[in-house]
Amino acid sequence: MTYNISTTQRLAPGETWTINDRIGINVVAPAQGHTVVSFNNAGTILINTDSPFISAGFNYDYGSEDRGSVFTNEATGVFRMVSTGGLNATFGFTSGQGFAGWNGDFINHGLFEVTATAFAAGVNTSDMTFTFVNTGQFLIRGGTAAIGVWADNGVDLQNSGLIEAVALE
């Protein structure tokens, strides 16, 4: 089941979310009184999907007004997405399920991993003010192709960790 969030949240160390859906966590419009929706993962998020459609681990939905929001995978955080559903794309972090749009920034200090039987991208964004920070392990594996960070309008990329994108064929 997809987790829809409309307020800033944190998954604590030792907590695990196991999700068996084509979208893992979906940021929707902020709840009344909130202007941004950020998410910190210090626990474990496991997303397994066999959907034949485009899939996304962490998705900023249309209309979610995400400027100022941040997804942070803390040093203890594990974010793992596995897609076995066929030939459509799999995105670890995206906006509008792989289409152009605004989204929050991305910070990884832990393990962020995406594996797909077809195309896999760790990040897909068209945000013109996007910041990507990685001090951890950012591992992307696609059966046919893999892209680590796909930023159509540029990115402020800061990396002192490991970024690895591998096509398995």
Side-chain angles (χ1 to χ4, degrees), residues 1-3 17 19 21-27 39 45-49 54-60 71 79-83 89-95 97-98 106 112-114 121-122:
M1 177 180 91
T2 298
Y3 284 85
W17 285 359
I19 303 163
D21 210 338
R22 72 183 194 93
I23 298 176
I25 300 166
N26 193 44
V27 176
F39 188 86
I45 298 171
L46 304 171
I47 303 162
N48 298 297
T49 182
I54 293 172
S55 56
F58 193 90
N59 180 61
Y60 282 90
F71 169 84
F79 183 100
R80 181 172 289 130
M81 179 170 190
V82 177
S83 174
T90 299
F91 302 102
F93 175 93
T94 192
S95 174
Q97 301 172 50
F106 179 93
F112 188 92
E113 184 175 23
V114 178

